[in-house]
């Protein structure tokens, strides 16, 4: 290379390092970034604890802020981290340690746990994979994801397939990763096989009550659910259900397939209501005593009209319900013709329904919010034709889960503690991780998000880390700028930059 070019590169790197140093002047020992500039920065400050995975090389350190979301409220505080654990907390922020990151006015909260994400690995990484999906997640403040058993190929319905997922996640995950196993007609009555999946670490099971879109992942009927319930209840594991039962609808065959309303008419609220009614009937009919940890969890509720039925059944059964950030952010009226990035199932419904879902999230009638991040290549999203009827149903958005949920919740009068309940505490409990995640308290895992609730999130496509950039969230004004994410004690992202390598851990079922 020409010497002048080399000189220019060195100069540019030196300038970049200077800018970075200025940026990090509050945290002079933070060692971050993938860029060449950071390489230089690393050379300036050699690590003192090289076996640490994350950007900080201190064996222990302290995070302070004027707004720490503790289980009983938001206060100034200090969080003491050693290894992968929170070892102490304090309300005194004047910490006498050189190994302190003071985030001042930004909020420090338990990391977001997304219990509903499709990483599609192995087999369909061209849709989304562990590497890209978890990088996007951690950039958005998500520190743990629980992966769905379908869209990967093969699907996760036996131990061999679960082990393949574990192997892949072990080396590629930027967040902690757990797994739901598939409950399908082939294994619903095979309690030995279901038990083996739990022994191998599956946190629970997922079923579809309608066509899943993946031929190898068949949908269950009432008899399959009845056959599986005694196992699920006695073993004490959650049962995650896509609750739609499809029946015939009066749809106009001549309707314009590029109009969103045409698609919406094909999946009315009745489908969700019929499925939830059937689930409740099966719960009413089963007399097996339920061990702690068992619950039926209704995935991605889109129909606010189902909430009364769910509430009534909750008096008799451990029944929980989630909605997704996109149902809180978008409604049918605002979807332009041909924009299939808005297609998901159940469908986005009207604005009144969206308002009712937001109110239910704020009041606690809906237990938690997930992303249901489920992208597909542009050809499968029918980007060119804009045909809603043919397009793959799945929304890309794990990176926006926190800001989208916060924007809707805050507008409805919700608090930071409500946000943590919806995105961390309740998801941890559902996944059986409530004893180690979802709270800032001594003994809990050091999974943290730092964010500025009043600042705009960056939703530009330039910082979208998903495999496919097509997302309805692009350029949507959302509040909640993620500043940093700590995964198992390891500083993994900060100020829009990622650590040099992934530090996530597997989250497997443990009986304790
Ligand atoms: Zn899903």
């Amino acid at each position: 290379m020409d010497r002048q070019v080399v000189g220019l590169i060195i100069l540019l790197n030196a300038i970049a390092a200077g800018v970075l140093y200025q940026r990090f002047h509050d945290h002079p020992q933070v060692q971050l970034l993938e860029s060449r500039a950071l390489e230089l920065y690393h050379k300036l400050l050699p690590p003192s604890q090289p076996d640490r995975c994350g950007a900080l090389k201190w064996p222990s350190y302290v995070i302070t802020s004027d707004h720490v979301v503790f289980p009983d409220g938001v206060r100034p505080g200090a969080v003491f981290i050693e290894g992968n654990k929170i070892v102490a907390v304090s309300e005194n922020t004047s910490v006498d340690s050189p190994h302190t990151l003071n985030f001042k006015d930004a909020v420090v909260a338990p990391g977001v746990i997304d219990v509903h994400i499709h990483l599609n690995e192995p087999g369909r990484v061209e849709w989304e994979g562990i590497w890209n999906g978890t990088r996007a997640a951690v950039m958005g403040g998500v520190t743990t994801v629980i992966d769905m058993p379908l869209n990967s190929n093969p699907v996760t319905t036996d131990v061999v397939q679960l082990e393949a997922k574990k192997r892949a996640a072990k080396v590629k995950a930027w967040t902690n990763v757990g797994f739901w196993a598939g409950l399908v007609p082939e294994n619903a009555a095979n309690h030995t096989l279901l038990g083996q999946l739990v022994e191998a670490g599956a946190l629970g099971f997922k079923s579809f009550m309608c066509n899943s879109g993946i031929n190898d992942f068949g949908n269950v009927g009432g008899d399959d659910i009845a056959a599986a319930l005694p196992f699920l209840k006695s073993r004490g594991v959650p049962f995650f259900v896509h609750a739609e039962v499809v029946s015939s609808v009066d749809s106009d065959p001549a309707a314009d397939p590029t109009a969103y309303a045409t698609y919406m008419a094909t999946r009315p609220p009745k489908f969700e209501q019929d499925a939830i009614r059937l689930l409740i009937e099966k719960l009413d009919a089963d007399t097996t005593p339920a061990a702690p940890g068992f619950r039926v969890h209704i995935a991605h509720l889109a129909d606010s009209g189902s909430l009364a039925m769910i509430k009534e059944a909750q008096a008799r059964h451990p029944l929980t319900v989630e909605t997704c950030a996109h149902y809180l952010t978008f409604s049918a009226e605002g979807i332009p013709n041909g924009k299939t990035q808005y297609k998901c199932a159940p469908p986005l419904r009207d604005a009144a329904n969206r308002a009712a879902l937001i109110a239910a999230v704020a009041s606690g009638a809906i237990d938690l919010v997930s992303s249901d991040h489920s992208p597909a290549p542009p050809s499968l999203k029918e980007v060119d034709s804009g045909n809603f009827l043919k397009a793959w149903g799945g929304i890309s958005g794990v990176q926006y889960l926190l800001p989208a949920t916060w924007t809707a919740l805050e507008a409805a009068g919700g608090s930071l503690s409500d946000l943590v309940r919806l995105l961390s505490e309740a998801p941890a409990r559902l996944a059986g991780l409530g004893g180690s995640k979802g709270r800032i308290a001594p003994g809990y895992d050091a999974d943290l998000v730092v964010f500025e609730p009043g600042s705009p999130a960056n939703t530009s496509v330039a910082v979208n880390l998903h495999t496919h950039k097509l997302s309805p969230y692009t350029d949507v004004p959302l509040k909640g700028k993620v500043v940093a994410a700590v995964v198992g004690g390891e500083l993994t992202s900060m100020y829009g930059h990622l650590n040099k390598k992934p530090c996530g851990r597997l989250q497997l079922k443990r009986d304790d």
Side-chain angles (χ1 to χ4, degrees), residues 116 118 148 206 208 300 372 374:
H116 192 154
H118 297 262
M148 282 296 166
K206 165 77 180 291
F208 271 67
H300 48 46
D372 193 8
S374 185

Side-chain angles (χ1 to χ4, degrees), residues 27-63:
H27 313 300
Q29 296 193 50
V30 171
Q31 299 159 37
L32 278 185
L33 289 193
E34 308 163 286
S35 68
R36 287 261 309 155
L38 196 77
E39 294 290 330
L40 205 68
Y41 187 73
H42 271 263
K43 280 176 194 148
L44 296 173
L45 291 165
S48 58
Q49 183 79 9
D51 54 333
R52 268 271 194 199
C53 172
L56 285 176
K57 302 305 173 190
W58 306 325
S60 62
Y61 62 102
V62 190
I63 284 178

Side-chain angles (χ1 to χ4, degrees), residues 215-357:
N215 290 339
D216 298 338
F217 199 95
N219 62 278
V220 294
D223 291 347
D224 300 310
I225 294 170
L229 275 178
F231 168 81
L232 299 165
K233 291 172 85 174
S234 56
R235 191 64 178 82
V237 289
F239 182 39
F240 214 120
V241 186
H242 180 128
E244 279 185 294
V245 168
V246 172
S247 50
S248 63
V249 283
D250 286 335
S251 53
D252 175 5
D256 176 6
T258 69
Y260 181 75
T262 303
Y263 167 62
M264 190 168 70
T266 66
R267 291 187 98 106
K270 175 184 188 304
F271 289 6
E272 291 187 72
Q273 293 160 10
D274 287 351
I276 293 166
R277 194 174 300 112
L278 179 59
L279 268 176
I280 294 168
E281 272 173 35
K282 294 300 165 191
L283 278 170
D284 283 339
D286 190 282
T287 55
T288 314
F294 167 74
R295 70 194 67 195
V296 170
H297 179 74
I298 296 164
H300 48 46
L301 186 81
D303 168 43
S304 61
S306 298
L307 284 165
M309 187 173 25
I310 292 167
K311 185 173 182 205
E312 191 266 332
Q314 282 170 331
R316 305 191 298 284
H317 301 295
L319 181 65
T320 53
V321 57
E322 85 186 16
T323 192
C324 301
H326 42 262
Y327 298 119
L328 307 177
T329 308
F330 310 109
S331 53
E333 295 88 338
I335 301 177
N337 271 21
K339 298 296 181 191
T340 55
Q341 60 265 44
Y342 291 89
K343 180 175 177 180
C344 59
L348 294 160
R349 304 194 191 280
D350 65 21
N353 182 76
R354 173 182 163 230
L357 289 177

Side-chain angles (χ1 to χ4, degrees), residues 54 61 94 113 146 270 273 306 313 335 420 445 464 495 497:
Y61 62 102
S94 332
I113 300 172
I146 318 292
K270 175 184 188 304
Q273 293 160 10
S306 298
I335 301 177
V420 167
D445 292 349
N464 177 337
Y495 296 131
H497 299 290

